[in-house]
Amino acid sequence: QVQLVESGGGLVQAGDSLRLSCAISGRTSFDYDIGWFRQPPGNERDWVAALSWTGGRTDYADSVTGRSTISRDIAKNTVFLQMDSLNIEDTAVYYCAATSQAYSIVPSRLLSHYDYWGQGTQVTVSS
């Protein structure tokens, strides 16, 4: 079975950077996307960024574009989310997720396309 484990969250100050990791196991193919989502306190779960595992194509939400980078380490079977210039609005539980298939040459933004989810890692940004 597919398992995803997030790590790297914590308490940081506004303006700091953070790198989240998503360790992937149990995949039998590489034709899938990895997405990062976040759920701020009292809010819905929103898409943040996504990556096509095989092709390495990336996509970002407007809220993080320009200050975030999603990447993969093929040897370690891990996806990262590097976030810079963190602000209070970035405070949330961050989840990584995987699709069961590739829907497009571009990785999916749609939550319903993601079938496998990690347990989340808390990111708290203080002012």
Side-chain angles (χ1 to χ4, degrees), residues 3-100:
Q3 290 185 312
L4 307 173
V5 180
E6 304 97 335
S7 62
L11 177 63
V12 298
Q13 293 181 312
D16 285 354
S17 297
L18 201 63
R19 189 179 77 162
L20 307 180
S21 299
C22 177
I24 307 162
S25 62
R27 301 297 316 205
T28 57
S29 71
F30 299 103
D31 188 24
Y32 64 94
D33 301 335
I34 296 293
W36 283 98
F37 297 79
R38 67 185 182 185
Q39 187 165 13
N43 280 271
E44 63 188 359
R45 188 172 299 185
D46 296 322
W47 173 79
V48 176
L51 174 148
S52 299
W53 182 262
T54 300
R57 290 180 169 82
T58 60
D59 196 15
Y60 300 93
D62 290 343
S63 59
V64 302
T65 189
R67 62 186 183 93
S68 297
T69 303
I70 185 171
S71 61
R72 73 199 196 282
D73 186 325
I74 297 176
K76 295 183 178 180
N77 206 26
T78 301
V79 173
F80 304 99
L81 180 66
Q82 174 72 38
M83 301 187 67
D84 303 318
S85 301
L86 289 164
N87 54 65
I88 297 176
E89 288 70 37
D90 294 317
T91 295
V93 177
Y94 284 72
Y95 300 88
C96 65
T99 66
S100 297

